[in-house]
Each structure stands twice: as structure tokens, then as C-alpha cells.
Amino acid sequence: LSTTLLTLLKLIPCLSPPTVRIVHSGHACNVEEERHAERVYTIREGETLELTCLVTGHPRPQIRWTKTAGSVSDRFQDSSVFNETLHITKIQRHQGGRYYCKAENGLGSPAIKSIRVDVYFLDDPVVTVHQSVGEAKEQFYYERTVFLRCMANSNPPVRYSWHRGRDVLSQGSDKGVEIYEPFFTQGETKILKLKNLRPQDYANYSCIASVRNVCGISDRNIVFKLTNKTVSPSIKLLVEDPIVVNPGQTVSLVCITTGGEPKPTLSWVSSSDSLPEKSVVKGGTLTLPAITSDEAGVYSCVATNNVGNPAKKSTTIVVRAMKKGRFWITPDPYHNDDNIQIGREVKISCQVEATPPEELTFGWLKNGRALRSSERMVITQTDPDTSPGTTNLDIIDLKFTDFGTYTCVAALKGGGIPEISIDVNISSTTVPPNLTVPRGKSPLVVREGDTVELECLVSGKPKPIILWSRADKEAPMPDGTLQVESYDGVLRIVNVSREMTGSYRCQTSQFNGFNVKPREAVVELIVQYPPTVEPVSLEMRQGLGRPVAMNCRVLRAHPSRVLRYEWRLGNRLLHAGHFDQSDETEYTVKSLNREGWGEYTCDIINEAGAGCKCLFVFTGKAYPPEFYYDTYSPLWQNRPRVYGFKLQWTQMNPNAVDRIVAYRLGIRQVEVCVCVCVCEITVEGTITKGELITHNLTELIKPEAYEVRLTPITRFGEGDSTIRIITYSGDGFLIRSSGEFHCSFEEEPICMFTQDKNDDFDWTRHSAATRDTKYTPNTGPSGDRSGSKQGFYMYIETSRPRKEGEVARLVSPFFNVAPKNPYGITNPPAYCFGFFFHMYGKHIGTLNALLRQKGQAATEGPTWSLSGNQGDHWKQAKVSIHPTASFQVVLEGIRGPGIEGDIAIDDVTLEEGECRDLPAVSDLIVLLSWGSVGSVCVCEQSPRTSFLFSRFTSL
């Protein structure tokens, strides 16, 4: 296991407002970065749209995707996506429009960028045919002209072309053909006009729709065969209109074609937009099994063959039904009182809703015997076309013998529907209604959540239906309706709420009673509820020894007179009292101690009981750290199979609690590591708001991703944690003073070094223990830089067929230039490039070190160069470089005049800063003898990998 150096750096405050840009992936077929000052993303319908919103800013901005340029109902996923990536699989045409990415973190104005998504598609074209016949009376001939119209839905606009057989038709190519676009449908359709049909005009016509292969959308075509028999469709319905049936019957509607070429296609539609779920369509027959009243309506058969207009025939299905049988009694209108008296007139009315209304019949019975209309017993019936079916029985000059039970019987002529009978009793006890509210039932005081019954006593015979409604305002009743019917005068409300406080009106209905002026009464309902307070719940973080004030305020209560309050810590009573004029109470802790952490509650109590309590949770937990996502090139690589990551964060509200003394760092490999490695990072001094903290993670295995959990620690204990995922990206490496790049060529990938493709031969990775026994003597090293015969190094083999002056170049991976501050590069930084070399032999040529910068021409000469025999031992070279862009270093070996000229290199390093003088031998010994001081933890991830983290407190 190798140790990992962890450092803790405090940088300048780095709070910054958000910036945003949109990048695209997925299946775009074209992206125009600028078109009329907007970005346009073109995608084929059915492909995957993927837009990513890249943001900067600290704290990490919140991201929200929204869409406009669509209809009100066209809102994708509730109109918002709170995620960096907007992903829509199988995008549809209606999902095109402008998409906005909005990022905000509370600093400055939100950052907003947009991109317009253009969805391309092409539907199959449709050809419709229309014809006109003109008559010339003098010459006695008919001129027949045919119009073929081709249409296809598309984006972008479609281009059409017409073919007759294999011949292309164009304007002017045939005198009998005219091709044009109607002015009012520019670009939407193309019409082929065949004037005064000729025998050669009877042929196959092809319409080809094309969008010029944009987004790989191929052309679509349709063929129409025009003959002298081509004619628009005609149909016939083999059913009556209307069709009157009973519920539960099976209804079959049969539609046949009587003409049309090509053969028409039949379909059924209904007035309710869609056919019933259980309906069956087979050819031209529509079957409705066990029909119900809800399925009644107009059903239409439609025949289409794209010639002329579609043919349509309709029929109406009527399902018999009767409902809502009601009656009312009307006293003699020529007298002022509403009583029924001997010698006066009285009318009994009976009403039933029936379908079909013309089949409704009424009959009257008196005491079970049929009653016929006479001079003194007049039976009438209203016209069902003008009003619901109503029958009236007028009794002229009421006599004692007329007292009895009258029955109204309603029936439908077609039968199959049960009759409705309504009994009305006329006697000396038949009196108009009267309404009263029982004593003690108004006002009615209840508590919220109770079940309450509002009651109105109704007298009279017969007792009418009572209608309940709100009397104090236009508001619905508890069940959501404006009126509630009651047959016993009681309105029952379950789980009454405070919004139901008010006046309720009970009123007699004319139905099932007297047709007189309604009687009414009012009941007052008062709903008491416990106090509501604020804050309901509040977490407060505070350090020891600081004052704390808590305030609990009453918002609403009924009765509004609040009795008392009680402050508690846990179950312990701290303070109690009564309210005077104020609607709030405050409790203060002068100096918070450890026993003062916990849950404080303030209970407010009135006559309705204890209400919502104010809850204050006091804790010394630190707020979570906020990871800094805008670190410039956070990845670097020391060895081929591992990489490092520069982790940066700030602390949220660091002064809210006691000083943060350390951070607990947990790291695990995503989806692999089952245990978490936990290490502690000590913090010296006080962290300020916005202060950037840096911590380097190394020994991360490529290309694995890791979950990092960071937890602040105070003397209270652990605070809130923050988690982020670290992923590997090999686009470039950053060299840091805390972790220099080092390559000893011990593994085959040779630390991402590559052989130059434009040189004469290659460098060779070699070990003294495995070299050929026929090696060239008197040149080359006998071991690697450390003296080990097992260790590897790189060298140039100068034996034949190599010639003098031939060059071998070894090129490093790209390194990114590290800025001096998190916002960009100001002055070119300095790096120290070092390596060990071995140049032994009488034919040694030249070793050069060169600098290559991205986007710049090669430098004129080497930054370091050495020639000739330097003796049989390893030496170290260091050179300072000052790149201004991403760069590579190149080690160039040039062959000398003979075969005893092998040049070797080992232990290549690159570190930030100017090169210092080479350390003396004694200094090297001291450095190598010092060890790490601090905590060590190991996370066993798998049999092949493990982590060892160390915290260096001194070096």
C-alpha cells in the first residue's frame, strides 16, 4: 500500500453568482449555434433529446428546466424539470419549442439560457380527388376535369412531385396537365389538375413528398389509380331513425356501401366523440351489447375513399327511461289562505322525467280505483315538448266524499320499464307546512372535527322536502353542492371545520308538499377551534454560551380570547402565564449550555383546547458544507492506474455554531465498495463565510467513480453531511504542489507517455533482470535509478540497424495549466520538470527535453540538452518551464556515431513552482527517514484494491 498525502488549504472567499450554458447530446441532426440570436437544436421525431445545463457559481446553483412556445395544455412533466439534464426519449412533434435553463443560488440575478428545439418529421402523404363537370349546350358535350390534391404533414415544409406511371409531370410538360398550389395553402399542398380528361389520363398517379433527406428522413409516396369508374362513395343505413330500445338490449347498426371507386372504407363515430368501450365494429356493422342510457345518442356511419367528400349517414338511439317522480298540491288560488277547505278548488300535480317523452302516459287512481276525467274531476297533461311530463288533477268544489288517497301512475307505451306510482293523501288533516328551529339548536356551538346536526322542525301534511343552503354567503354546502335535500329536516355534517361557521337556511320545497310560498328558517353554526400559531416548527442552531430568544405568535383562534401559554423543554415546564393584550409570548435563554440543547415547545390553550404548538429545536450541529464544483481541472494523475482529485468546499454559515474543529471524510467506490473509509481532517483556526477549503484525494482507481461524504465536527458532535460523486475523466491532468506527477515506468502503460509518430525509432521499456544476455557492453545502466535490477526504465537501443543522427521521442500526456486563483489564469505559472538520466558509453549522442504547448507551434530549441559520455551512474536533471496553455514535455534521444551509445531515463517528475537547487545527500536521507504523522484508515474494497489515507501534520 502506498500512502496518500492529504492537505488542507484555506483560500480567498469564493461566493459567486450563477452562470449557465446549454450543451447538447442525444440524437441531434443539426445544431445552429446562432440563428437570429438564438440557438436551434434540430432533432428527428422519435429520437432522444438530451440537453445538459452546465452551471458555475457557489453555492451550487439550483437548476430548473422550463418550456414555452407550446399550448397551455402542452406542459412537459408539470412544466418543470429540476435536474441538470433534460432527457426526453422518443420525442414527439408537440414537444418542440423553446426550452429554458434557469440557475439561481441567491447571489445576484438568476442565470437563464435558452435553446429552441425543432422536431423534424414527415407523415405519409394523402391524395384526395375532386371532379367537376361542365356542360356546353350548343355542342352537346361534357367537359370533365379532375383535381388530385396531395397533402402531407411535415417539418420542415414539404416539397411535392407528381408522376404518371414512370413519367415525371411538371408544369408545361403536358397541355392537359396543370400543377399549382392554392394561394391560401402555400407549401401545404400540391394540386394536379387534369383538364378535359383524355384516355391517357386514366393511369396510376404517384405523389412523392420530400423534405430533402434532412435528419435522414426519406421521401414518402402514395399511388392513386384513376379510372373511368372513379367515383365518390355512397352508403345506406339498414336501420330506422330513431331507434327506441329498452336498457339492456343489444343494438346492431348496419351500414353498407352502394357505390364508390376505389372501394370506400367504412367507420362509425358517435356524438360523444368516442364509441362505447364495449362496442364492436365489424365491417360496416356496429354492435352495442347491453345498451345503457349513457350510451344513447347519435351514431354516424362514414365512408371515405379520398374521392370527393366522405359520405355520412346518421341515426339516433333512444334508450327508454323514467326518473324523478314528484308531486305538489296547489290550494285554491282565489283565496288568501293556503288551507284546503270544503267547497274550494284544489289541484294535485304529478311530474315524471321520461325518455322518450312522447311515450309517457299517466293514469289516476282514487283509493286504488281508476279515475276518469269529469266536470268536477278534470285530468290534464302538459305538452312533453314544452316541459317535462306533468299531469294535473283539478278537483272542483271539494266535497267531504273527495277525501282519500290519489295515486298518479306513470308508464311508457313501449313497455319494458317499471311504472312509477305517486300517492297523495287529501283529507281534513292536509295542511300547509310550517318550519321552526327547536329551542337550543341555534346558535349551535361545536368544536372543530365534531359531527353536528342542524335541525329544522317541519309540520304539515304531507311533509315536504327540506332544502338546506348557506344563508350568509354564496358558498357551497359541505358536500360541494349549492343545495342539499333533506326528508326529515336534519342536515348532518361530519368532521366540521372552521370554514363552515355561518348561517344556514332551511326552506320548504314545493315538491312532495304544498305549492305555496316557501317557508324558511335560519340556523347559526359556530365552530370553535384551538389556536393556530407560528412558527409551527423551527430549527435553530446555536453555539454554547450565546443568548437565545424564542417567540411564539397566535394567528387565529375561536374564541379569540386565549387563556394561557406554557413553555417546555422536553417534558419539563419552564414558564407559564396568561395573555393580556398581546398575541405573542417570548422565552429567552441568557446563555446556552449543553443542557439547553433540545426541543422547546410553547402550548397555546383556549376554550377549544390546546392548539398547534410552537416547536423550536435547538442544536449545536454545524450546517452542511457546500462543495465547490467550479474547481479548475480538478483531476491529475501520478501513476497509470490511479488518479487524484482536488476536492474543494465552503462551509455554510460557519459562525452560526461553535467553531468547526475537524471534518470527517468518507469515501467509497460507487456500486462496488461495501465499506466506507472514514478519515478525519483537523481544522486550525476559524473558518470564515465563503472561505474555500481544499483537500486532495489520491490513490483513486481509474476509471472508477467514488461517493464522497463530508461531515463537519464541532464540540457538539457531527453536523449535517454533504455528498457528491467524483467521476474520472482522462481529458487532461493537472499538476499540483501537493501531489507532484511522478512516473517510474514500472507498469506497461508507462504513465500515459506515448511514442512520437514522426520520429525514426522508439524508446524501449527495460529491466536489467530481463534484458538479453547479448546486450551491448560498456553502455547502458545495470539497474533502474534506485539500483534495483527488477525495476524498469526507458532507454534508446543504438545497435544496428540504427544510424547516427536518428531520433526517438517520448511524449508525455497533456497537462492543464493550474490557475493561481479559482477564477482563471492571470500570470503564466512555473513548473519544475525533472528526470534521472543515464548516459554511459563512448558513442553517446544527445538527450534533449522539449516543451510542446497546445495550439502553438513547436519551440525552436530544447529547454534542456546534454551530449556525450556522463559516466556509469544516474544523474538528476531539473528545468523550470512556464507554459501558457495545456502542454506536453518531450524527451528526445539522438543516436551517436556507434553502438555504445544507449541513453536511459527514469523517475520523471513534474511539480508546480520554480525548480530549487538539488538537495544534498544528507538532506535526501532526512526526507526519506521522516514518516507521516496522523491517523491512518484502510478500506478493503475487494481482494485486488484497498485504500490507505494519511493526514500529514508536519513534514
Side-chain angles (χ1 to χ4, degrees):
L1 296 176
S2 61
T3 60
T4 301
L5 178 63
L6 303 181
T7 61
L8 185 64
L9 303 179
K10 296 185 179 180
L11 300 182
I12 60 175
C14 61
L15 301 178
S16 58
T19 64
V20 62
R21 63 189 180 97
I22 297 174
V23 297
H24 47 79
S25 55
H27 299 146
C29 48
N30 186 37
V31 178
E32 298 183 38
E33 297 299 333
E34 293 293 335
R35 191 173 83 182
H36 306 296
E38 70 176 359
R39 301 178 70 204
V40 181
Y41 181 104
T42 305
I43 188 171
R44 182 174 175 173
E45 186 175 48
E47 301 289 0
T48 298
L49 171 70
E50 190 167 288
L51 301 175
T52 301
C53 194
L54 299 182
V55 300
T56 64
H58 191 74
R60 182 69 168 169
Q62 295 288 327
I63 299 173
R64 179 184 179 188
W65 282 97
T66 57
K67 180 195 171 207
T68 59
S71 64
V72 175
S73 60
D74 177 27
R75 297 179 178 176
F76 76 103
Q77 299 181 5
D78 293 334
S79 188
S80 298
V81 171
F82 294 90
N83 195 359
E84 291 183 358
T85 301
L86 171 65
H87 186 91
I88 302 177
T89 56
K90 296 183 180 180
I91 190 169
Q92 300 300 306
R93 61 194 67 179
H94 69 271
Q95 293 173 306
R98 184 178 298 280
Y99 288 83
Y100 290 86
C101 173
K102 179 180 180 181
E104 53 186 338
N105 64 355
L107 299 176
S109 300
I112 301 175
K113 290 290 184 181
S114 68
I115 187 170
R116 184 161 66 84
V117 176
D118 212 356
V119 182
Y120 278 7
F121 61 91
L122 174 60
D123 292 341
D124 290 330
V126 176
V127 170
T128 57
V129 181
H130 300 269
Q131 63 182 0
S132 64
V133 177
E135 181 181 358
K137 294 181 179 179
E138 287 128 13
Q139 282 103 13
F140 300 101
Y141 73 89
Y142 288 90
E143 179 185 276
R144 187 180 183 193
T145 300
V146 173
F147 300 87
L148 281 75
R149 179 194 297 266
C150 185
M151 293 186 64
N153 296 320
S154 73
N155 183 33
V158 69
R159 291 182 180 176
Y160 300 94
S161 59
W162 281 99
H163 294 241
R164 180 163 56 200
R166 297 184 178 180
D167 299 331
V168 178
L169 297 177
S170 59
Q171 183 67 26
S173 63
D174 188 328
K175 292 182 179 179
V177 174
E178 183 179 344
I179 300 174
Y180 66 95
E181 294 181 0
F183 177 76
F184 55 88
T185 59
Q186 285 292 317
E188 296 179 5
T189 182
K190 181 80 76 172
I191 293 179
L192 175 65
K193 180 180 180 181
L194 305 175
K195 301 179 290 184
N196 193 14
L197 278 180
R198 304 160 298 177
Q200 64 264 32
D201 292 331
Y202 295 114
N204 289 333
Y205 290 86
S206 300
C207 173
I208 300 176
S210 174
V211 289
R212 301 158 300 283
N213 204 37
V214 296
C215 288
I217 300 176
S218 58
D219 295 348
R220 307 288 179 90
N221 73 296
I222 188 171
V223 178
F224 184 86
K225 184 177 181 180
L226 182 65
T227 70
N228 58 0
K229 296 181 180 180
T230 300
V231 67
S232 58
S234 59
I235 57 175
K236 181 179 180 181
L237 281 182
L238 303 182
V239 293
E240 298 177 354
D241 183 34
I243 303 173
V244 181
V245 297
N246 291 327
Q249 282 187 271
T250 296
V251 180
S252 292
L253 307 179
V254 180
C255 177
I256 61 172
T257 59
T258 57
E261 177 66 32
K263 185 178 180 180
T265 300
L266 297 177
S267 61
W268 283 92
V269 295
S270 75
S271 55
S272 59
D273 297 331
S274 60
L275 296 175
E277 291 184 5
K278 59 184 179 181
S279 62
V280 178
V281 178
K282 187 175 181 180
T285 301
L286 170 65
T287 303
L288 303 173
I291 196 167
T292 65
S293 297
D294 294 335
E295 296 168 347
V298 178
Y299 288 81
S300 302
C301 175
V302 181
T304 58
N305 67 350
N306 292 339
V307 178
N309 295 319
K312 184 177 181 180
K313 295 286 186 178
S314 302
T315 186
T316 302
I317 297 179
V318 178
V319 180
R320 292 187 178 94
M322 287 194 303
K323 58 182 178 179
K324 290 188 177 179
R326 289 176 169 175
F327 76 91
W328 59 93
I329 301 171
T330 306
D332 193 334
Y334 298 102
H335 292 80
N336 293 329
D337 64 83
D338 297 332
N339 295 313
I340 296 176
Q341 295 183 14
I342 300 295
R344 293 183 181 179
E345 178 183 341
V346 63
K347 182 168 67 174
I348 306 172
S349 301
C350 178
Q351 184 184 78
V352 174
E353 294 182 12
T355 304
E358 62 271 13
E359 289 191 3
L360 180 62
T361 62
F362 286 104
W364 283 93
L365 304 176
K366 177 186 177 183
N367 297 326
R369 294 183 179 183
L371 187 66
R372 296 189 178 188
S373 184
S374 63
E375 292 183 357
R376 218 169 51 80
M377 297 280 188
V378 181
I379 299 174
T380 59
Q381 186 169 340
T382 60
D383 184 355
D385 293 334
T386 59
S387 64
T390 305
T391 181
N392 301 308
L393 174 60
D394 279 298
I395 303 175
I396 311 299
D397 188 18
L398 183 67
K399 300 181 181 299
F400 180 80
T401 56
D402 294 331
F403 289 161
T405 300
Y406 292 85
T407 304
C408 165
V409 181
L412 292 178
K413 293 178 183 178
I417 302 298
E419 296 178 341
I420 294 179
S421 297
I422 303 172
D423 293 332
V424 183
N425 186 268
I426 301 295
S427 67
S428 58
T429 59
T430 303
V431 294
N434 187 37
L435 275 182
T436 58
V437 177
R439 181 175 297 179
K441 293 294 186 177
S442 180
L444 198 59
V445 180
V446 296
R447 291 190 177 184
E448 192 170 39
D450 289 349
T451 296
V452 60
E453 291 186 348
L454 279 62
E455 184 178 0
C456 279
L457 293 178
V458 56
S459 60
K461 188 178 180 182
K463 289 186 177 181
I465 297 173
I466 303 300
L467 302 177
W468 285 93
S469 60
R470 294 294 295 260
D472 53 346
K473 55 185 176 181
E474 289 291 333
M477 297 294 286
D479 65 350
T481 62
L482 292 178
Q483 277 191 336
V484 176
E485 290 186 356
S486 170
Y487 288 87
D488 59 359
V490 175
L491 174 65
R492 193 167 189 265
I493 304 175
V494 179
N495 193 21
V496 65
S497 65
R498 63 194 66 180
E499 292 78 14
M500 298 177 187
T501 296
S503 301
Y504 290 79
R505 178 189 297 111
C506 60
Q507 178 179 304
T508 59
S509 166
Q510 69 172 15
F511 300 115
N512 297 2
F514 274 70
N515 183 22
V516 294
K517 182 179 179 181
R519 275 58 166 170
E520 63 179 47
V522 174
V523 177
E524 294 289 338
L525 176 64
I526 300 173
V527 181
Q528 293 185 344
Y529 53 90
T532 57
V533 297
E534 69 173 5
V536 176
S537 180
L538 180 65
E539 183 186 63
M540 303 181 71
R541 307 195 184 204
Q542 191 64 275
L544 295 175
R546 303 182 189 178
V548 173
M550 293 162 280
N551 187 282
C552 184
R553 180 168 174 263
V554 180
L555 298 178
R556 292 176 301 276
H558 190 87
S560 58
R561 182 169 59 88
V562 177
L563 296 180
R564 54 179 288 133
Y565 58 83
E566 294 178 352
W567 284 94
R568 297 178 182 273
L569 174 57
N571 294 323
R572 181 163 58 94
L573 180 64
L574 301 175
H575 181 60
H578 292 79
F579 282 91
D580 295 324
Q581 302 298 323
S582 176
D583 59 355
E584 60 184 38
T585 175
E586 184 175 275
Y587 184 77
T588 303
V589 178
K590 294 182 179 180
S591 179
L592 188 66
N593 54 28
R594 291 185 177 274
E595 291 73 24
W597 280 323
E599 291 189 358
Y600 292 79
T601 59
C602 177
D603 290 312
I604 309 296
I605 306 164
N606 70 351
E607 292 178 6
C612 297
K613 62 179 65 176
C614 293
L615 174 64
F616 302 88
V617 180
F618 270 91
T619 177
K621 289 174 58 176
Y623 285 96
E626 296 175 308
F627 282 117
Y628 186 68
Y629 287 83
D630 301 334
T631 304
Y632 185 87
S633 295
L635 287 172
W636 79 93
Q637 180 172 330
N638 287 352
R639 298 197 308 280
R641 296 180 182 176
V642 299
Y643 69 98
F645 188 87
K646 183 177 181 180
L647 190 69
Q648 292 184 303
W649 70 91
T650 61
Q651 178 59 45
M652 180 190 295
N653 299 331
N655 300 321
V657 295
D658 293 320
R659 186 180 71 83
I660 295 172
V661 297
Y663 284 95
R664 182 160 292 132
L665 175 70
I667 182 169
R668 72 175 183 89
Q669 191 172 317
V670 174
E671 298 181 355
V672 176
C673 186
V674 296
C675 98
V676 178
C677 176
V678 180
C679 305
E680 193 169 294
I681 307 166
T682 304
V683 176
E684 302 294 337
T686 302
I687 299 174
T688 59
K689 184 176 179 61
E691 186 176 314
L692 191 62
I693 304 171
T694 299
H695 186 81
N696 290 328
L697 302 176
T698 61
E699 303 301 317
L700 306 178
I701 306 300
K702 294 191 313 183
E704 305 296 343
Y706 293 87
E707 179 188 272
V708 176
R709 178 187 294 269
L710 194 62
T711 307
I713 301 173
T714 65
R715 54 179 173 173
F716 172 84
E718 292 190 359
D720 291 337
S721 300
T722 301
I723 295 176
R724 73 168 293 182
I725 302 298
I726 293 173
T727 56
Y728 172 77
S729 172
D731 296 335
F733 303 98
L734 185 65
I735 306 305
R736 309 184 184 285
S737 59
S738 57
E740 66 175 22
F741 175 84
H742 175 264
C743 184
S744 58
F745 306 111
E746 295 301 322
E747 298 183 35
E748 185 59 41
I750 60 174
C751 311
M752 306 291 286
F753 275 85
T754 57
Q755 306 283 354
D756 193 347
K757 296 180 180 179
N758 298 318
D759 57 5
D760 302 308
F761 65 106
D762 290 342
W763 288 78
T764 302
R765 179 173 173 266
H766 199 69
S767 170
T770 58
R771 69 183 179 182
D772 194 336
T773 56
K774 297 181 180 181
Y775 72 93
T776 304
N778 304 318
T779 188
S782 58
D784 70 355
R785 200 274 301 179
S786 66
S788 170
K789 293 186 180 295
Q790 306 297 324
F792 286 84
Y793 54 88
M794 301 293 292
Y795 86 106
I796 60 170
E797 175 58 62
T798 57
S799 300
R800 294 180 180 85
R802 300 278 71 84
K803 298 178 182 179
E804 183 177 3
E806 288 187 339
V807 176
R809 298 188 188 95
L810 189 65
V811 184
S812 76
F814 268 105
F815 298 103
N816 294 327
V817 175
K820 294 299 181 182
N821 61 69
Y823 306 107
I825 300 173
T826 53
N827 298 318
Y831 293 92
C832 181
F833 175 53
F835 58 93
F836 283 84
F837 62 89
H838 189 282
M839 301 173 66
Y840 169 57
K842 63 182 180 180
H843 299 142
I844 291 293
T846 302
L847 178 61
N848 295 325
L850 302 97
L851 176 67
R852 287 183 183 176
Q853 300 194 65
K854 194 171 185 179
Q856 300 181 22
T859 55
E860 295 183 357
T863 58
W864 180 93
S865 182
L866 187 63
S867 302
N869 187 356
Q870 303 298 318
D872 188 11
H873 52 266
W874 288 92
K875 295 183 178 181
Q876 187 180 23
K878 286 189 175 183
V879 59
S880 294
I881 56 177
H882 301 82
T884 58
S886 298
F887 65 95
Q888 296 170 293
V889 288
V890 181
L891 290 165
E892 180 183 75
I894 304 176
R895 186 188 187 271
I899 62 173
E900 296 182 16
D902 293 355
I903 299 175
I905 60 171
D906 200 0
D907 287 346
V908 178
T909 60
L910 189 65
E911 58 183 337
E912 200 175 48
E914 298 283 352
C915 291
R916 298 182 294 273
D917 294 336
L918 290 178
V921 176
S922 58
D923 296 333
L924 287 174
I925 294 173
V926 170
L927 285 171
L928 293 173
S929 65
W930 283 7
S932 61
V933 180
S935 61
V936 175
C937 65
V938 177
C939 174
E940 291 292 339
Q941 297 188 179
S942 67
R944 63 178 180 86
T945 61
S946 64
F947 280 95
L948 177 64
F949 285 84
S950 302
R951 175 170 50 83
F952 281 68
T953 55
S954 62
L955 181 65

